[in-house]
Amino acid sequence: MKFIEVNNKATARMFLEMPVDIYKNDPKWIRPLDKDIELVFDQEQNKFFRHGEAVRWVLQNDEGKPVGRVAAYINRKKLDKDLPVGGMGFFECVNDQSTADALFNKCEEWLEERGMKGMDGPINFGERDRWWGLLVEGFEEPTYCMNYHRPYYRELFENYGFQLYFRQYCYSYEVGQPVPQRFKEAAEKIAGDDRYSFRYAKKSELEKYGEDFLEIYNDAWGGHYGFKKMDRRQAMAILNSIKPIMEEELMWFGYYDEKPIAFFLMLPELNQIFKYMNGKFGLWEKLKFLYYRWRGVNRKMFGILFGIVPAHQGKGVEGAIINAAEKVIKPMRKYDELEMIWIGDFNPKMIGMVEKLDAKRKKIYHTYRKYFDPSIPFKRAPILNGSNQKN
């Protein structure tokens, strides 16, 4: 077998094309857009290169056929100085343990050379909302920028010695189903208080909503496990990045005396259109995208963020903002399903809220960790304090 490091356009193309044979007979696989994968490894566009490094390889068998691929990376900004852990991801492999072991060993060697004591995987060289975790249950069509894997991958990871660090749950909520009575009652608790208000964002006022988003995010999540406080530049970058696909009626904010206290942010699920693109997004594909959007082939939304500042948790705000969104979205008759992605098992309060909404658990992802020295005691990810979780 031979490793080929990705360092030019030709090898990048090999990396992108390698999974096609793996999934060619799988009707649920939606090929990711090439540009979304390449963005992760673009040193000019991915801010994680400012404080980290990444490498990727394609593995060929003795006949020169690609049989696997993988990437490894270090995010020095979030390293534990006593027990630094790197990452690996974008793993694809034929159903052969020795081939998988070769890929894992390559990552382990590269990370050990740079002082790492272990590795998490499969994870992204970027934020958690993309390309994070191994799909182990619910082999349905993947949500945009979420991983999809073959069922045998779990065995390849666990046979190598990876251990479960945390689970990520994805839930499905049917838009047509009634909001549970407990949420309506919670909403009614504050309905008579004129100091509370709920409304959806306007693209024409994106700067204002960027400021509100920043204030809520930092109050709800800043300082919690795994999340850093955000600055204004980062907040506006997030909103500007989703502006082209944003639908105002899906982006909800809550206020108390006009002070921002909550958000419930959703987007159209673009993979329902991108599945017709075969990974490409040139001029022809952009025209196809507009055509399929016009036809309304996408009947699914996905939740990207839900958060309430601590001072207003447990007061019925979650029910009120969901109730307000339902009154606008349901009459549109545009969407049938809301998929709530990326809820970690280290956040039981968020899981409890989603399950009280009568949402159904649809998919499970595993994020694994492996210490290179087996004598290091293994611990699961700590439980998150608070009730907010990045979806």
Side-chain angles (χ1 to χ4, degrees), residues 274-321:
F274 289 149
K275 65 183 178 182
Y276 300 105
M277 308 299 178
N278 193 32
K280 308 298 186 290
F281 203 58
L283 177 60
W284 173 240
E285 286 77 21
K286 289 176 182 177
L287 292 173
K288 287 172 68 176
F289 178 85
L290 294 173
Y291 168 71
Y292 284 117
R293 260 196 112 169
W294 171 76
R295 278 189 56 196
V297 299
N298 175 29
R299 303 291 299 175
K300 184 190 295 187
M301 311 171 281
F302 73 103
I304 54 171
L305 286 168
F306 186 97
I308 302 170
V309 301
H312 289 271
Q313 292 173 11
K315 296 183 177 181
V317 173
E318 65 274 14
I321 197 169

Side-chain angles (χ1 to χ4, degrees), residues 29-151:
W29 183 58
I30 297 175
R31 179 173 173 172
L33 294 184
D34 293 348
K35 71 177 186 65
D36 290 329
I37 302 292
E38 286 302 285
L39 180 65
V40 176
F41 301 99
D42 188 324
Q43 296 193 29
E44 294 183 1
Q45 296 191 65
N46 186 349
K47 66 179 182 180
F48 278 67
F49 279 103
R50 301 174 195 164
H51 45 76
E53 58 182 308
V55 63
R56 50 184 169 154
W57 302 275
V58 174
L59 180 60
Q60 292 180 331
N61 63 15
D62 294 338
E63 288 74 44
K65 179 181 178 180
V67 290
R69 76 173 196 189
V70 76
Y73 13 82
I74 298 170
N75 176 8
R76 293 191 178 86
K77 197 172 184 178
K78 292 187 178 180
L79 287 181
D80 182 330
K81 67 177 183 179
D82 295 322
L83 194 59
V85 174
M88 58 78 59
F90 297 93
F91 173 90
E92 303 287 358
C93 185
V94 297
N95 191 3
D96 177 71
Q97 189 67 52
S98 63
T99 303
D101 289 350
L103 292 163
F104 295 140
N105 284 334
K106 191 71 172 177
C107 295
E108 184 168 333
E109 291 166 7
W110 186 85
L111 291 167
E112 270 199 300
E113 288 172 359
R114 287 155 180 80
M116 299 299 103
K117 303 297 184 184
M119 61 181 171
D120 290 343
I123 67 171
N124 184 28
F125 187 53
E127 301 294 349
R128 285 182 169 185
D129 60 342
R130 295 186 170 208
W131 318 122
W132 205 286
L134 184 80
L135 182 64
V136 298
E137 289 186 30
F139 295 90
E140 300 295 327
E141 291 183 341
T143 305
Y144 178 59
C145 288
M146 290 285 285
N147 285 328
Y148 181 86
H149 297 113
R150 298 303 302 272

